Amino acid sequence: MNDRLYIFDTTLRDGEQSPGAAMTREEKVRIARQLEKLGVDIIEAGFAAASPGDAEAIRAVAEVVRESTVCSLARATERDIQAAGDAIAPAPRKRIHTFIATSPIHMQKKLRMQPEQVVEAAVAAVKFARKFTDDVEFSAEDAVRSDMDFLCRVFEAAIKAGARTLNVPDTVGYSIPNLWGDRIRELIERVEGSDTVIWSTHCHNDLGMAVANSLAAVQAGARQVECTINGLGERAGNASLEEVVMAVKVRPDVFGCDTRVDTRQIVPSSKLVSQITGYPVQPNKAVVGANAFAHESGIHQDGVLKHRETYEIMSAESVGWTTNKLTLGKLSGRNAFRSRLEELGIKLDSEEALNAAFARFKDLADKKREIFDEDLQALVSDEAVTPEDEHLKLVSLRVASETGEVPHARLVLSVGGVEKTSDAQGGGPVDAAFKAVETVVQSASELLLYSVNSITAGTDAQGEVTVRLSKGGRVVNGQGADTDIVVASVKAYLSALNRLQSGADRAHPQVSP
Ligand code: KIV
Ligand code: ZN
């Protein structure tokens, strides 16, 4: 009988710490719904003390998620834990995840606390968190660089105070698999009461070993892995959920455990997270990359045609790849549209939202003969923008670009309901259009990233554009999709500018209390 491996998804918390990946409440709810469908055990929905917006988003997730446990991160202070406890209150299954750093460098330089004070703070935090829920997780931040004897002491104290899950993070992505496995094994052997808790691991990917280290921890006895969709996360990211889940699924002989993840929901989850955060998935990414199941060499193609398993260790269908499924066309009606959205797990909040999405679908169907699931996802993503987020709105755009001539853009923008027109020239049509936007908005923001992906195949495909802007230390992403990539680019630019103007700043959880 296989052991159960708990999947703790932190896309909405550590994943959100990727530059520009901050999500709105509605976006978090959409992702949380998908994570629940995916079957993750715990959803870390955010860091409630970071800002009122974060607390509200966690509460909104706690109001809709029924099956998975909803969790908030909290530093080891009463203020943070109170905020976390309040935010997760509506969830039927709730967890508080409290943490404090235990490495000499963090205790001395960041916390400016003595080891004794750190143990006291950890104990007090766990006890206080138990007032809100029995399900309390304790993390020793920077466990990778912590002294082993001290780590054992802190974890023993946390168990006595009432922690049910003990998380061992490689906060800085420093470990390598055999050392990480040894560390976890030693903790499980040495810590008194270790058989009464679930041991967890949380690995960062600075040396590209987050998944390998997490799996080494599983082999050493950890039964919870903290991970994110597409490996999103602070700096180089966290262990990627899809890789961890498929490794234990494909190799039960090695890991002897299994998850309750519905693996067919992996690709839809990956696409949703990529679309919302604006982080594209590299084509050769394991499991969810566009090439993960593409066989290029003739010998491989021949082998797969004869017997799939000659070159495939898992099937594309088992992780949710469908061959671009033709969904709807110009003649499809409102009911067909609604029921396809339902099959995709997309719920629009009101009849007006459905009507608006349907009108956009009809527009798109005029431009594009075949509409695929991916087109619908992009279309609904656009629809999820609330009017208050849309201070800047594209009214119309005309672009002239001709060989030997300087490209020129004429743009009409609605700025808080007032229409403004501008003209600009640029190195190319996108450059001219962005300059025309800047003439009106004068945001003085810096463009960090501009990328275009085609959503489906064919020259009539929608282009999906991501724009990352930075201003005054804040970084935001914006997305736009359209069959005209210059229009998609302007939509993405405006979406990023709207976020820059409206978004609340979020505190970073790895700062001292
Ligand atoms: O990387 C880390 O140490 C964390 C903790 C808060 C678990 O994200
Ligand atoms: Zn982390």
Side-chain angles (χ1 to χ4, degrees), residues 345-364:
I346 300 169
K347 284 198 188 94
L348 291 177
D349 291 341
S350 61
E351 278 301 297
E352 292 88 75
L354 180 74
N355 290 342
F358 185 61
R360 292 169 58 82
F361 158 73
K362 283 289 180 186
D363 264 4
L364 182 61

Side-chain angles (χ1 to χ4, degrees), residues 10 13-14 17 169-171 202-204 226 234 238 510:
T10 182
R13 197 279 296 171
D14 218 322
Q17 288 171 220
D170 178 1
T171 305
H202 174 116
C203 298
H204 279 271
E226 302 198 354
E234 185 77 32
N238 289 63
Q510 264 92 6

Side-chain angles (χ1 to χ4, degrees), residues 10 37 100 122 127 186 226 327 347 363 391 400 483 491 506 509:
T10 182
K37 204 163 164 201
I100 191 160
K127 284 191 176 155
E186 188 176 341
E226 302 198 354
T327 302
K347 284 198 188 94
D363 264 4
H391 179 68
T483 46
K491 283 183 181 172
R506 288 161 202 271

